[in-house]
């Protein structure tokens, strides 16, 4: 029968040493300068890459899979119709007053003339097939870094020109001016294409030369970074002119004050304008800006310039605000970078303070910080080299690498300090620390790598990239822990790093003794539950927490809304809220409608079906509420209705689709000749594809689920098999991405848990001990998830990886604990002595790393972004939970599962 030790034993002189790590350590202490030069040279090289080539991308599409149907549809939409996201500049005031409109005209014109140096102007974001291997394709649009030339807004065509174009008889016709239009349209040679080829008329999607070829950016006579800008001033108005129509703006030129009341009545009665460019109360209007393709960084620069322009035009009764998906992405980038800079500095200071308290010497502080700093630099350098941007997911990589790097380096440094305290010289203490700790550090690295590489099973590129980069980072942290840190410590010739020769650390030792004795019964058998009330109490307490965690996990919910992370004091937050409330919404769902093979969209039944779909979605309300999601919907149907009404003298009764296909073809031909650029925003030149834009409120991603199902129902009901209808745009992408990410991470975590369990069994060479090891690894994850469900913290992209971080932290401490328990138990056969030895050898390092990490992550509470603040609190709590479970619950499991060797022999 074993007896319980009453004090902490001194480690035996025959502590197990790994020959490989012992040889590596001896080589390092013989050539420390070379080791430092090699590691620092690598840091400088990767740091240069990170500083010059690393990109930020917090856009929605950063999380789409390059091989997914959603991404393919989005790219095809952009091929045909340009960017799908817009800057929205909402201006609050008395819209139908002359002072407001004059200021709006000045703001509109300055935004239309926006002229900046944009290095990536015209570049499409490449489809990132290289995330998990394979070649990186070239950008869809070749790079053309140059300064955009300012251009004046295109003048509306003269009435005479439009009327002449409308009444011209196509070649081959006798009496009917529309006789040959259908054949021309179906071959792709409509009037607009012929007109632009002959005259070089400039459209909003490129300039065409005399032969109709596309001209690259900078080759044309003018141009800005703005592809399209629309406001109440120039929004389309279709009017009859003689035998034709005129496409102009509603307020071009600006009317006199006496004409505004009538115009107000007309505009607010126009269904395509309310919710698109003006609010129903006439107190808000919106300027919609679509820029040329460019990088996220350059888009953020445009956002800041648009904000500056709006600030210059701000006046009493004229309050501009900037919103839209590009503005949200830019604002999140700016706020996150500011938070990371500020909290990063504070976190480093907090960890520095904790290291100073533990090691009380600069050598004990600087070494671990340099290990984690260099690991982060190498990781970001790799991402820059292969073209992986920082996203909302990979922003947590620094925190993850801090967990790994601090854990490894502090464990090594703590063992080194204890060896110095027992009288070993400096170099011998370094070799001893690496030789005895290197193997468990390697084990922790391998298990963490497996957890991260399991993200390669994800269908989302950004997750796979983050996992691969993180796996590289933990390997680098291992290298620096067993090469850089020992070389660095060779220069420490005198300091004991805070430990005195008598032992010291009385407070920490008392805490470890309390944890060790929590499940120990003096005089009781080392194995079995007979006469072991303390062991039974500890195990039942663990089961109780597990049960409560399962109950709490029932309250978990998925809620991803990046806008909710931003405090209301930042301008972009109220801008989104006000546009959603007063003008239709800030997000778009795009429908890409493609005619069947051999047909065009000049199909009356198809137009009626599209009309039915859009009426269907306008009627949708949130379940159990009367809140309307859809603010407006714009499509080719509106063009046909407006043209039909114009040709009937503006009679509202004719604001409808015509009665037959021939009339529909005539109306489209007429509109195409009068406003080719307007038609190109809604249909391709060959009239085989068209698009519809549904403007919706910005809500969390999962709230769009019922709406998309309702939209699918409407498409099946009203269009059926008449055409191929594909959904795309920011809203649809966001909903699909969040759904995919959750499924991916659940699958990835399951794979990682199984593989890590197998690895633990193989590493410890004992099935029973390997299975026991996974219990304290899983329990912290259950507890943190249960806590999130109980207090209402939702699962979103910013905290989806908490489980991975939790298992990384728990596995590291558990491996150190069980490795030394097994080594001592195999030598001595005494359970209590092995547990006591393990507490002495690894306990201090486990507590030290946990204190450092908890302090470092707690500083994120001060972050302005609420998701960062929640992330910091959750990780800090995970660290504390993992430590307590390893120190209290794991010993109880060992006492239950193992018996003294002598007792087994009886």
């Amino acid at each position: 029968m074993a007896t319980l030790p009453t004090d902490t034993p001194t480690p035996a002189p025959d502590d197990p040493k790994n020959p490989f790590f012992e040889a590596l350590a001896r080589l390092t202490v013989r050539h420390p300068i070379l080791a430092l030069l090699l590691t620092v040279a690598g840091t400088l090289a990767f740091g240069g890459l990170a500083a010059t080539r690393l990109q930020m991308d917090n856009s929605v599409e950063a999380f789409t899979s390059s091989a997914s149907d959603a991404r393919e549809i989005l790219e095809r939409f952009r091929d045909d119709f340009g960017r799908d996201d817009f800057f929205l500049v909402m201006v609050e005031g008395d819209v139908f007053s002359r002072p407001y409109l004059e200021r709006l005209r000045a703001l509109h014109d300055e935004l239309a003339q926006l002229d900046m140096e944009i290095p990536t102007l015209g570049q499409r974001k490449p489809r990132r097939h290289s995330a998990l291997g394979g070649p990186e394709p070239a950008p869809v649009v070749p790079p053309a870094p140059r300064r955009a030339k300012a251009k004046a807004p295109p003048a509306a065509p003269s009435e005479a020109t439009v009327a002449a174009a409308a009444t011209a008889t196509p070649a081959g016709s006798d009496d009917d001016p529309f006789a040959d239009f259908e054949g021309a349209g179906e071959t792709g040679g409509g009037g607009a294409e012929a007109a632009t080829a002959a005259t070089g008329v400039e459209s909003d999607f490129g300039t065409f030369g005399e032969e109709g070829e596309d001209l690259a950016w900078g080759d044309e006579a003018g141009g800005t970074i703005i592809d399209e800008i629309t406001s109440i001033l120039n929004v389309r108005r279709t009017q009859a002119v003689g035998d034709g129509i005129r496409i102009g703006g509603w307020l071009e030129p600006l009317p006199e004050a006496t004409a505004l009341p009538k115009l107000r009545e007309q505009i607010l009665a126009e269904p395509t304008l309310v919710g698109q460019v003006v609010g129903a109360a006439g107190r808000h209007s919106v300027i919609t800006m679509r820029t040329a393709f460019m990088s996220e960084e350059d888009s953020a620069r445009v956002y800041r310039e648009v904000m500056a322009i709006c600030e210059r035009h701000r006046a009493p009764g004229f309050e501009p605000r900037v919103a839209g998906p590009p503005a949200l992405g830019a604002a999140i980038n700016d706020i996150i970078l500011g938070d990371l800079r500020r909290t990063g500095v504070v976190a480093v200071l907090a960890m520095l303070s904790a290291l100073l308290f533990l090691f009380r010497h600069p050598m004990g502080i600087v070494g671990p910080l340099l290990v984690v700093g260099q690991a982060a630099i190498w990781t970001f350098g790799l991402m820059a080299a292969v073209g992986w941007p920082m996203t909302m997911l990979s922003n947590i990589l620094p925190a993850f690498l801090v967990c790994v790097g601090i854990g490894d380096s502090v464990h090594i440094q703590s063992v080194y300090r204890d060896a110095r305290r027992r009288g070993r010289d400096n170099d011998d203490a370094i070799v001893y620390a690496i030789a005895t700790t290197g193997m468990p550090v390697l084990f922790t690295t391998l298990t963490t790598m497996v957890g991260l590489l399991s993200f390669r099973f994800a269908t989302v590129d950004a997750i796979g990239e983050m996992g691969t980069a993180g796996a590289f980072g933990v390997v680098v942290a291992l290298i620096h822990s067993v090469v850089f840190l020992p070389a660095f410590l060779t220069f420490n010739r005198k300091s004991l790093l805070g430990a005195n020769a008598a032992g010291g650390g009385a407070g920490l030792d008392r805490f470890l003794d309390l944890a060790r004795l929590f499940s120990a019964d003096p005089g009781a058998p080392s194995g079995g539950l007979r006469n072991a009330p303390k062991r039974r109490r500890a195990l039942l307490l663990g089961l109780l927490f597990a049960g409560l965690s399962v109950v709490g996990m029932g309250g978990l919910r998925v809620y991803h809304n990046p806008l909710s992370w931003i405090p209301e004091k930042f301008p972009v937050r109220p801008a989104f809220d006000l546009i959603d409330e007063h003008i239709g919404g800030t997000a778009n769902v795009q429908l890409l409608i493609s005619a069947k093979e051999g047909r065009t969209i000049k199909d009356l039944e198809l137009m009626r079906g599209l009309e039915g779909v859009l009426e269907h979605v306008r009627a949708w309300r949130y379940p159990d509420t009367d809140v309307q999601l859809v603010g407006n919907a714009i499509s080719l149907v509106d063009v046909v209705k407006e043209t039909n009404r114009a040709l009937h003298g503006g009679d509202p009764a004719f604001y409808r689709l015509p009665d037959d296909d021939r009339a529909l073809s005539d109306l489209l031909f007429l509109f195409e000749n009068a406003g080719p650029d307007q038609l190109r925003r809604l249909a391709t030149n060959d009239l085989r594809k068209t698009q519809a834009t549904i403007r919706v409120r910005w809500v969390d991603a999962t709230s769009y689920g019922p709406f998309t199902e309702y939209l699918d129902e409407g498409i099946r009901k009203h269009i059926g098999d008449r055409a191929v209808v594909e959904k795309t745009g920011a809203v649809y992408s966001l909903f699909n991405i969040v759904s995919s990410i959750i499924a991916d991470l659940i699958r990835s975590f399951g794979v990682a848990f199984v593989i890590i369990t197998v690895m633990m069994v193989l590493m410890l060479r004992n099935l029973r001990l390997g299975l026991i090891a996974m219990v304290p690894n899983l329990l912290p994850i259950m507890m943190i998830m249960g806590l999130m469900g109980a207090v209402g913290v939702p699962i979103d992209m910013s905290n989806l990886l908490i489980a991975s971080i939790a298992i990384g932290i728990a596995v590291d401490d558990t491996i150190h604990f069980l490795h030394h328990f097994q080594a001592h138990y195999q030598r001595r056969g005494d359970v209590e002595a092995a547990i006591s030895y393990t507490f002495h050898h690894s306990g201090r390092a486990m507590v030290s790393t946990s204190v450092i990490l908890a302090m470092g992550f707690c500083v994120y509470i001060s972050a302005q972004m609420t998701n960062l603040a929640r992330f910091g609190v959750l990780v800090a709590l995970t660290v504390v939970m993992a430590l307590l479970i390893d120190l209290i619950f794991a010993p109880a499991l060992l006492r239950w599962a193992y018996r003294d060797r002598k007792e087994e022999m009886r």
Side-chain angles (χ1 to χ4, degrees):
M1 181 179 297
T3 58
L4 185 67
T6 56
D7 58 354
T8 303
T10 300
D14 57 346
D15 293 329
K17 300 175 184 177
N18 181 271
F20 170 78
F21 284 104
E22 184 175 14
L24 177 64
R26 293 193 185 282
L27 180 64
T28 301
V29 298
R30 281 199 299 267
H31 306 285
I33 300 297
L34 178 61
L36 291 175
L37 287 177
L38 288 175
T39 53
V40 171
T43 301
L44 293 175
F46 281 108
L49 289 171
T52 57
R53 296 175 58 180
L54 186 63
Q55 298 180 338
M56 292 281 292
D57 187 356
N58 282 320
S59 65
V60 170
E61 67 189 272
F63 299 94
T64 58
S65 170
S66 55
S68 70
D69 292 339
R71 180 63 179 269
E72 181 61 29
I73 295 169
L74 182 61
E75 294 300 336
R76 285 195 280 107
F77 180 92
R78 291 172 174 174
D79 290 341
D80 293 323
F81 299 107
R83 288 189 64 159
D84 56 299
D85 53 358
F86 307 89
F87 284 102
L88 301 173
V89 179
M90 188 205 71
V91 185
E92 188 172 7
D94 185 1
V95 175
F96 296 97
S97 66
R98 183 75 185 195
Y100 178 100
L101 293 175
E102 288 174 348
R103 290 192 177 98
L104 186 67
R105 166 59 72 188
L107 175 59
H108 179 114
D109 288 348
E110 186 169 355
L111 291 173
Q113 300 293 322
L114 188 57
D115 185 19
M116 297 175 62
E117 189 75 32
I118 302 295
T120 61
L121 187 65
Q123 290 186 28
R124 287 272 290 277
K125 185 178 296 184
R127 304 179 189 186
R128 301 182 302 164
H129 293 286
S130 67
L132 305 178
E136 180 77 20
V140 178
V141 175
R146 62 191 69 199
R147 189 180 185 86
K149 300 177 183 178
K151 69 175 180 180
S158 67
E159 295 181 7
T161 300
V162 174
T167 57
T169 302
S173 298
D174 294 324
D175 300 322
D176 188 350
F178 305 111
D180 294 334
F181 176 68
E182 290 187 40
E186 293 183 11
T187 60
E193 185 175 352
T196 53
T199 63
V201 173
E202 185 175 329
S203 82
D204 286 331
F205 293 96
T207 302
F208 296 83
E210 293 185 359
E211 299 298 323
E213 74 275 12
D214 288 321
L215 299 179
W217 275 95
D219 294 334
E220 67 271 26
T224 73
I225 65 173
I226 307 300
D227 273 353
E228 178 186 346
I229 182 166
T230 305
S231 71
I232 194 173
L233 300 171
N234 68 338
V235 67
R236 183 184 68 243
R237 186 181 191 184
T238 307
Q239 295 176 289
V241 178
D243 292 330
I245 60 171
R246 176 183 183 275
I247 309 298
W250 275 84
L251 300 176
E252 292 180 337
L254 284 182
E256 296 299 325
T258 55
L260 289 176
K262 183 178 180 181
L263 274 172
R264 182 183 191 277
E265 182 179 348
Q266 290 177 316
I267 290 174
L268 294 184
E270 193 70 20
T272 59
L273 302 186
V274 176
Q276 180 192 1
V277 295
V278 67
R283 293 288 307 169
H284 305 84
S285 73
V286 164
I287 301 174
T288 303
M289 300 167 51
R290 179 171 55 200
T291 69
F293 290 107
M294 62 185 68
S295 69
E296 293 297 319
E297 289 84 358
D298 285 337
S299 184
R301 293 177 54 228
V302 172
Y303 167 68
R304 289 188 284 271
E305 183 62 24
V306 171
M307 289 286 291
I309 292 172
C310 289
E311 194 59 36
R312 289 197 295 270
H313 287 267
R314 187 178 304 278
F318 192 84
E319 298 290 334
R321 303 174 188 270
V322 184
L328 179 60
I332 289 176
N333 277 352
D334 289 345
I335 301 171
I336 284 181
L337 285 175
D339 274 344
L340 290 178
R341 290 190 191 102
R342 184 182 63 260
T343 57
V345 171
V346 178
V348 169
L349 291 175
M351 288 189 288
L352 189 149
S353 300
L355 288 168
L356 179 62
F357 175 78
L358 292 169
F359 296 110
R360 299 183 180 89
H361 192 274
M363 295 295 293
I365 299 168
V366 176
L369 291 181
L370 288 177
V371 167
V372 298
Q374 291 183 99
I377 291 172
W378 283 45
T379 304
F380 295 145
L382 173 74
M383 294 176 66
V386 298
W388 297 339
M390 291 285 290
T391 67
M392 281 182 279
L393 283 178
S394 54
N395 280 331
I396 64 100
L397 278 177
F400 195 92
L401 294 176
V402 165
C403 291
V404 175
I406 286 289
D408 290 347
S409 56
V410 169
H411 269 93
I412 292 171
Q413 200 163 263
S414 296
V415 174
Y416 159 80
R417 178 181 63 177
D418 289 343
R420 288 294 308 275
R421 185 184 65 188
R422 292 195 304 271
R424 294 178 185 265
D425 65 40
N426 191 61
D427 288 354
D428 191 33
I430 293 172
V431 173
Y432 170 80
I434 298 297
T436 59
T437 313
M439 189 55 66
V441 167
L442 175 62
F443 287 172
T444 63
T445 299
L446 292 176
T447 52
T448 305
M449 278 182 59
V450 167
L452 290 167
L453 290 177
S454 69
F455 294 140
R456 296 188 62 161
F457 290 95
T459 58
V460 177
D461 290 350
I463 295 178
E465 293 169 0
M466 187 277 298
T468 306
F472 174 79
V474 299
V475 172
V476 173
L478 169 68
I479 293 171
H480 284 86
S481 295
V482 299
V483 176
F484 174 85
L485 185 61
F488 181 78
L489 289 174
T490 59
F491 296 95
N492 178 46
R493 294 298 175 182
K494 297 181 179 179
S495 173
L496 296 180
L497 301 186
N500 57 50
L508 180 56
D509 285 341
R510 282 196 296 270
F511 169 75
L512 291 173
D513 282 340
L514 286 174
R516 178 171 58 89
L517 298 174
F518 185 83
S519 61
D521 289 284
S526 295
L529 289 176
R530 183 173 55 86
N531 299 322
K534 287 189 175 181
R535 267 172 278 173
R536 189 163 47 242
R537 177 189 63 184
L539 292 172
L540 290 175
L541 187 62
L543 290 174
L544 175 63
F545 278 117
L548 292 175
S549 299
V550 171
V551 173
M553 289 167 65
L556 282 174
R557 63 191 179 98
V558 178
Y559 181 94
H560 180 76
N561 183 1
L563 185 64
S564 68
W565 303 342
I566 301 176
E568 293 186 0
K569 66 178 181 179
F570 289 94
V572 71
R573 177 73 178 270
F576 268 77
D577 293 341
L578 286 170
I579 293 177
D580 281 341
E581 181 180 356
H582 298 289
I583 311 182
T586 49
N588 293 327
V589 174
Q590 264 85 27
L591 301 182
L592 181 60
I593 303 104
S594 304
K596 293 289 187 178
E597 187 67 28
R599 300 181 61 84
T600 71
I601 57 175
K602 295 182 298 179
D603 181 335
L604 183 60
E605 289 303 312
L606 175 58
M607 288 295 103
R608 287 174 176 168
L610 180 56
E611 180 184 37
V613 169
L614 299 182
E615 290 177 353
H616 177 79
V617 298
R618 288 189 184 100
W620 193 81
R621 298 292 188 274
Y622 284 106
D624 303 323
T625 71
D626 194 38
V627 178
Q628 186 173 4
L629 178 70
V630 176
N632 206 331
I634 306 300
S635 71
L636 195 62
V637 171
D638 304 308
V639 165
V640 176
K641 289 180 177 180
E642 291 170 12
T643 306
N644 193 34
R645 180 179 60 185
L647 290 179
H648 289 82
D651 185 349
F654 287 91
Y655 185 74
R656 58 177 176 80
L657 292 172
D659 297 326
D660 54 57
D661 286 332
R662 180 58 181 269
L664 173 65
S665 180
D666 292 348
L667 291 172
L668 286 173
F669 173 75
L670 193 63
F671 185 88
E672 186 178 21
N673 279 279
D677 289 346
Q678 293 279 347
L679 187 62
R680 284 187 189 169
R681 298 173 186 175
L682 296 170
T684 55
N685 284 337
D686 59 7
L687 295 179
R688 297 186 188 279
K689 294 181 184 179
T690 185
Q691 64 103 347
T693 298
I694 304 170
R695 181 173 286 183
V696 297
R697 291 172 177 263
W698 189 277
V699 294
D700 79 283
T702 57
S703 294
Y704 293 120
F707 171 72
T708 58
E709 293 175 3
Y710 182 81
L711 175 57
D712 287 337
E713 177 188 334
I715 293 171
R716 288 192 299 269
K717 176 181 178 181
H718 295 283
I719 294 182
D721 60 356
R722 294 189 187 94
V724 177
V725 182
E726 298 169 302
K727 303 179 292 297
T728 187
V731 166
Y732 189 73
S733 298
L734 188 63
F735 170 68
N736 280 278
I737 289 165
V738 171
S739 300
S740 298
I741 285 178
I742 292 167
D744 283 346
L745 291 180
I746 292 173
R747 180 170 59 251
S748 297
F749 180 78
V751 170
F753 189 82
V754 171
I755 295 177
I756 288 174
T757 301
V758 174
M759 290 181 67
M760 294 288 280
V761 172
L762 294 176
M763 289 174 184
L764 296 171
R765 300 183 301 278
N766 186 294
L767 176 62
R768 177 172 52 178
L769 191 59
L771 296 177
I772 287 174
M774 296 312 296
V775 176
N777 292 336
L778 184 60
L779 193 53
I781 300 169
M782 295 176 61
M783 291 174 66
I784 201 68
M785 293 297 173
L787 180 64
M788 289 172 62
V791 302
V793 175
I795 296 176
D796 59 25
M797 286 186 190
S798 66
N799 60 31
L800 274 171
L801 300 180
I802 289 292
S804 299
I805 291 178
I807 198 170
I809 294 170
V811 164
D812 286 3
D813 283 347
T814 304
I815 286 177
H816 281 282
F817 192 92
L818 295 184
H819 172 81
H820 292 290
F821 167 82
Q822 184 190 42
H824 198 82
Y825 178 74
Q826 287 177 344
R827 288 172 179 267
R828 303 302 176 90
D830 189 319
V831 174
E832 291 299 340
I835 291 175
S836 186
Y837 165 81
T838 302
F839 266 81
H840 177 82
H841 191 281
S842 300
R844 291 192 185 96
M846 291 167 62
V847 174
S848 299
T849 56
S850 298
V851 169
I852 293 168
L853 292 175
M855 289 182 62
F857 282 108
C858 277
V859 304
Y860 284 98
I861 298 174
S862 63
Q864 297 182 96
M865 293 284 285
T866 58
N867 63 315
L868 281 179
R870 285 200 302 258
F871 176 80
V873 172
L874 291 173
V875 173
L877 287 174
T878 301
V879 169
V880 174
M881 290 177 184
L883 173 68
L884 294 177
I885 289 169
D886 275 323
L887 293 181
I888 295 175
F889 189 68
L893 283 174
L894 293 174
R895 291 184 173 108
W896 169 72
Y898 282 84
R899 299 185 180 186
D900 292 345
R901 291 269 178 81
K902 293 179 181 179
E903 188 172 321
E904 290 176 351
M905 294 172 60
R906 293 178 184 177

